[in-house]
Amino acid sequence: MAIMHQMGFPPKWCTWIYGLLSSARAAVLVNGTPTFEFQCGKGMRQGDPISPFLFLIVMEGFSCMINKATASGFLAGLKLPKGGPVISHLLYADDCTFIGDWSMCNLYKVARALRVFYLCSGLRINLGKSNLFGVGVDNTEVKRAAEVFKCKEGSLPFKYLGLRIGGNMNRISSWDFLFDIFESRLANWKAKSLSIGGRVTPIKAVLESLPSFLWGGSHDEKKIHWVAWDRVASPIKHGGLGLCRLADSNIALLSKWIWRYRNEDNALWKKVIDSLHGNCEGWRSVPVNKSLASGWKNIVQKAEKVKVAGKDLIGLFKGICGKGDRIRFWIDPWVDNTCLKELFPLLFGLENDKKCLVADRFCTETKRFVGNSIWYSMPISQEVLEEWLKFTTLLEGIRLTDVRDK
C-alpha cells in the first residue's frame, strides 16, 4: 500500500485494493466439497488474479532499493564502457538476476540487501533454489561461494527463461532443446488425428515451417511430401497454404530489432548496445563493433543484406520531423523518401556542414527554413540556381514543432 501511494496511485484506487485484500477469505476443498471459510493471513488468496500485479508493484519497490544501493556504492554492479549504464539486476515476473563484480564482499552485500527486503516486505528469498554463476571465475571459487551462501553452483551454459545462455548458438546442437520441446508437445497421434487444415493452424501459430508435421512424418516413418515446399509456402490466392518460410520469418524477426533500436530510445538494451558498439548518427546507420563476437553483430549483418524492392532495409527508414534535433538535414530521408543530398547534389556539394541537423537550418523563432549562410559561396551556375528554386519550393511549407523527432 505504501508503494502504491508513493507511485502516485489515487487514494480511492488504493482503498479499493485494500478492501480486496482485507476481505479476502478462502476455503479448503475436501472431496470436492468446500469446508468453512477463514480469513487469509497474508491478505490474498492463492490464485487471485490480482496477485501478479501486486507482486510487480512490490518488485518495483525492490528494484528501487537495489538501484539506490548501487548508486550509493554499496553494491558493485557491472559498469559498461563509454559512459554506459551500471547494470546491477534484471527482473522478469518473479525472477530476479543480480549482476556485478565477483567478490565475497559484494556477494555478502547482495545477501544483506535480500535480508533487508525480507524485513520490509515479508517476502523471503529461498537461496536454496537460487544459482550462483561466475563468468571468468575458477569453478572451485564458485563452488566455495555457493557453499557459503547455501545456494546451487551454476555452470555455463545454462537455461534462463527458456533460453540457452553462454553457449555457442551458431552450432546446430545448441538448438536441440527446442526441437525436443516441439516433439514432446506434438505427439504422432496428434498429427494423425488432424486434417491438413488442422495442421496448418498450429504451424502458422507456432511452428512456422515444419513440413514433417504437415505431412505427418516422424523419425520412424518418412511420409512423402506431395507438394514442393515453395508451393506450400506461397500465398493462398496463388494455390499455396499461406505458410511462411522459416528463413523469412527469422529475417523478419531479426530486422525488427533494427526498428526497435530506432524507436526505443530509453530502453536498457539499447543503452547497452550503444555502450558496447558505439552511438550511431542519423536514421540510415546502425552501430556495430565488428571486432566483438556478439548476437547484435549477427543481427546487423543479416539486416544489411535484406533488400526490399531493390533497396536496403535500413535505407527505408524515414524520419518524421518535430523539433529537428535528431534528424540530419542532408543525409537522412525526412522530406521525401529520398534524402536531400541525393535530390540536390549540387547544393549538397556547396554545403559547409554536411552533417548538420534539421534544426540548424530552421529559424528558432519562426520555425521556418532559413536558406542564407549555408554554403561557402553563393550559387552562380544555371544548374545550381534551378536546384535552388526547387529546393526552396520544397522546404518553404515545412514548419518545425515542439514534439520529438521519430
Side-chain angles (χ1 to χ4, degrees):
M1 297 302 298
I3 293 175
M4 282 198 292
H5 282 296
Q6 293 183 48
M7 293 178 68
F9 284 89
K12 192 171 186 180
W13 170 265
C14 295
T15 304
W16 288 346
I17 298 299
Y18 182 76
L20 290 174
L21 299 180
S22 60
S23 63
R25 302 181 66 84
V28 179
L29 289 177
V30 179
N31 296 328
T33 303
T35 61
F36 61 91
E37 292 187 348
F38 56 88
Q39 192 79 22
C40 295
K42 292 297 183 180
M44 191 180 305
R45 291 165 293 185
Q46 183 177 0
D48 195 316
I50 203 172
S51 175
F53 299 99
L54 297 183
F55 180 79
L56 291 178
I57 291 178
V58 175
M59 294 306 291
E60 180 69 20
F62 172 68
S63 180
C64 292
M65 185 187 75
I66 299 300
N67 286 334
K68 186 174 182 179
T70 305
S72 64
F74 179 75
L75 288 177
L78 182 65
K79 181 69 174 72
L80 295 181
K82 302 175 184 177
V86 178
I87 301 178
S88 58
H89 64 289
L90 298 173
L91 297 175
Y92 183 84
D94 62 342
D95 193 282
C96 178
T97 301
F98 285 95
I99 303 171
D101 291 339
W102 179 272
S103 68
M104 292 300 294
C105 179
N106 206 30
L107 290 172
Y108 273 114
K109 290 180 178 179
V110 171
R112 191 178 302 171
L114 295 176
R115 172 68 178 170
V116 171
F117 175 65
Y118 162 64
L119 295 175
C120 294
S121 66
L123 297 177
R124 185 192 295 272
I125 282 73
N126 188 347
L127 293 178
K129 294 182 179 180
S130 303
N131 295 278
L132 181 64
F133 299 93
V135 180
V137 181
D138 187 72
N139 292 336
T140 57
E141 189 175 349
V142 176
K143 184 177 181 179
R144 183 169 61 253
E147 291 174 352
V148 172
F149 293 97
K150 304 294 190 297
C151 60
K152 298 178 183 177
E153 175 192 359
S155 60
L156 300 175
F158 63 94
K159 285 184 66 176
Y160 177 68
L161 300 178
L163 298 176
R164 188 70 61 86
I165 306 298
N168 186 357
M169 302 312 293
N170 290 325
R171 296 177 179 175
I172 296 178
S173 59
S174 298
W175 296 94
D176 287 344
F177 74 97
L178 198 58
F179 288 98
D180 294 338
I181 293 175
F182 281 136
E183 289 184 354
S184 63
R185 295 183 179 179
L186 294 172
N188 251 0
W189 66 269
K190 293 183 180 180
K192 292 179 180 177
S193 62
L194 294 175
S195 64
I196 291 295
R199 296 173 193 178
V200 168
T201 300
I203 291 176
K204 286 183 176 180
V206 181
L207 307 181
E208 282 296 346
S209 179
L210 290 182
S212 59
F213 180 74
L214 178 66
W215 303 119
S218 66
H219 290 300
D220 303 325
E221 182 183 7
K222 299 295 183 182
K223 290 290 187 74
I224 298 176
H225 297 176
W226 294 103
V227 182
W229 192 247
D230 287 342
R231 179 69 180 274
V232 172
S234 60
I236 296 177
K237 64 180 180 180
H238 294 154
L241 295 179
L243 301 180
C244 188
R245 295 179 181 86
L246 189 59
D248 293 343
S249 300
N250 184 50
I251 291 176
L253 293 173
L254 293 178
S255 300
K256 190 173 182 179
W257 283 102
I258 308 298
W259 169 259
R260 292 185 62 186
Y261 178 85
R262 302 309 310 172
N263 284 273
E264 300 179 8
D265 288 337
N266 296 321
L268 176 62
W269 73 270
K270 180 180 179 179
K271 295 177 181 178
V272 172
I273 294 297
D274 289 340
S275 174
L276 298 179
H277 295 269
N279 292 304
C280 73
E281 298 178 352
W283 298 84
R284 299 176 67 94
S285 57
V286 179
V288 57
N289 187 346
K290 296 185 178 180
S291 63
L292 292 178
S294 64
W296 179 252
K297 183 178 75 171
N298 295 335
I299 290 174
V300 175
Q301 288 177 345
K302 285 286 186 181
E304 287 177 344
K305 296 178 182 178
V306 176
K307 299 287 184 180
V308 181
K311 294 183 178 181
D312 294 337
L313 174 69
I314 297 178
L316 294 176
F317 284 86
K318 178 182 177 181
I320 300 177
C321 196
K323 296 180 180 179
D325 56 352
R326 297 180 64 236
I327 301 176
R328 293 179 295 185
F329 184 80
W330 292 100
I331 301 175
D332 300 325
W334 61 282
V335 180
D336 196 4
N337 292 329
T338 307
C339 57
L340 292 179
K341 74 171 186 176
E342 296 179 6
L343 292 175
F344 307 101
L346 297 178
L347 297 180
F348 179 70
L350 297 172
E351 168 65 63
N352 185 9
D353 184 7
K354 290 181 167 50
K355 291 186 178 181
C356 63
L357 301 173
V358 173
D360 298 333
R361 295 292 173 256
F362 277 71
C363 178
T364 306
E365 289 77 19
T366 64
K367 300 186 184 300
R368 293 172 177 264
F369 171 66
V370 179
N372 58 340
S373 302
I374 295 181
W375 297 281
Y376 280 121
S377 58
M378 291 297 294
I380 51 175
S381 66
Q382 183 64 29
E383 293 81 4
V384 172
L385 288 173
E386 291 176 358
E387 268 198 11
W388 172 255
L389 180 61
K390 296 178 182 179
F391 181 72
T392 53
T393 302
L394 179 65
L395 298 179
E396 64 181 1
I398 298 177
R399 303 286 186 277
L400 296 184
T401 63
D402 294 327
V403 300
R404 171 179 167 274
D405 294 342
K406 58 182 180 180

